[in-house]
Amino acid sequence: AQKITQTQPGMFVQEKEAVTLDCTYDTSDPSYGLFWYKQPSSGEMIFLIYQGSYDQQNATEGRYSLNFQKARKSANLVISASQLGDSAMYFCAMRSNFGNEKLTFGTGTRLTIIP
Amino acid sequence: DAGVTQSPTHLIKTRGQHVTLRCSPISGHKSVSWYQQVLGQGPQFIFQYYEKEERGRGNFPDRFSARQFPNYSSELNVNALLLGDSALYLCASSLYTGELFFGEGSRLTVL
């Protein structure tokens, strides 16, 4: 079974500052992928970044980077130079590379950017 | 290009009724997945269909069923609605084992 833990229910960050959203995971699968999604109030889940379990380097996508520490089973999302539009719910998720496309999500972190 | 579209966007039902939710995937995507997101929680996997065949099922009762049509659109059906079925139902499509693209969801309220 897979499990995602997000321990920060809510965070407040000053505009233009960097922010780190925590995510730890648990799985017995040898090969898996880790994802971060942003969910604004509209409800749509917006894909931000992906990290494969065998990727040697941490993933980056523009202002988003994923701090992947495999031994600690953590996959923290770092947002640099935060903007007001970054205010949303953020979900960490994982998927086994074997079988179907099931994503297992955490409970999310509500990020609020303060002007 | 159109993204994943879901209908209806909002609906209200009473306990015991039946509901059908619809999803049109991105053009060219043959895989469709359904998720239930209860308020304050992360989405929970319900079903995945690929090429009209069920490829995965989450831990949901038999009141939940789904199907995929030849044009790869999909329906999620829920029978004998309970108050606890109130949630945002999200549909996602992909090229299979690739990135999942989500729709904006159907928000179901059961009274």
Side-chain angles (χ1 to χ4, degrees):
Chain A
Q2 299 173 343
K3 185 177 181 181
I4 295 285
T5 301
Q6 294 181 256
T7 58
Q8 305 154 310
M11 290 190 69
F12 292 83
V13 173
Q14 204 75 34
E15 190 180 6
K16 299 181 183 178
E17 289 186 349
V19 56
T20 298
L21 305 182
D22 295 341
C23 172
T24 58
Y25 63 91
D26 191 23
T27 182
S28 57
D29 291 321
S31 179
Y32 50 88
L34 295 155
F35 302 77
W36 277 93
Y37 283 86
K38 172 183 178 181
Q39 188 178 41
S41 56
S42 63
E44 182 183 1
M45 300 289 282
I46 302 169
F47 167 77
L48 296 178
I49 196 166
Y50 166 83
Q51 178 84 43
S53 59
Y54 286 105
D55 292 343
Q56 295 297 314
Q57 293 190 335
N58 288 340
T60 60
E61 289 284 351
R63 294 187 299 113
Y64 304 108
S65 60
L66 200 152
N67 184 1
F68 180 48
Q69 298 186 46
K70 193 172 183 177
R72 298 180 60 185
K73 292 189 175 180
S74 74
N76 298 339
L77 176 70
V78 180
I79 306 174
S80 62
S82 57
Q83 302 171 357
L84 296 178
D86 294 334
S87 294
M89 283 292 293
Y90 287 81
F91 290 95
C92 180
M94 74 178 303
R95 180 176 73 201
S96 171
N97 287 338
F98 304 99
N100 60 45
E101 288 191 320
K102 172 187 174 182
L103 279 175
T104 300
F105 286 86
T107 52
T109 296
R110 180 171 296 282
L111 176 64
T112 303
I113 307 300
I114 305 168
Chain B
D1 289 341
V4 178
T5 57
Q6 294 186 241
S7 63
T9 55
H10 296 81
L11 67 166
I12 300 173
K13 294 284 188 177
T14 57
R15 281 176 295 176
Q17 284 189 315
H18 164 270
V19 68
T20 297
L21 307 177
R22 296 176 176 83
C23 172
S24 293
I26 292 172
S27 177
H29 286 190
K30 299 180 179 180
S31 175
V32 171
S33 300
W34 288 94
Y35 288 79
Q36 180 197 63
Q37 187 177 17
V38 174
L39 191 64
Q41 297 183 17
Q44 298 288 318
F45 173 76
I46 311 176
F47 287 109
Q48 185 209 347
Y49 277 79
Y50 178 73
E51 289 277 18
K52 296 172 288 181
E53 291 188 2
E54 182 183 301
R55 292 299 182 98
R57 172 186 286 255
N59 188 23
F60 281 81
D62 292 342
R63 298 185 296 108
F64 289 76
S65 64
R67 56 179 175 169
Q68 187 176 32
F69 298 99
N71 66 353
Y72 304 113
S73 67
S74 178
E75 282 183 355
L76 176 69
N77 294 282
V78 187
N79 293 323
L81 285 167
L82 303 174
L83 296 179
D85 295 331
S86 294
L88 178 68
Y89 289 85
L90 293 163
C91 174
S93 75
S94 78
L95 292 169
Y96 198 73
T97 70
E99 177 186 339
L100 287 184
F101 294 83
F102 285 83
E104 293 194 354
S106 294
R107 194 169 296 277
L108 170 65
T109 301
V110 181
L111 302 177

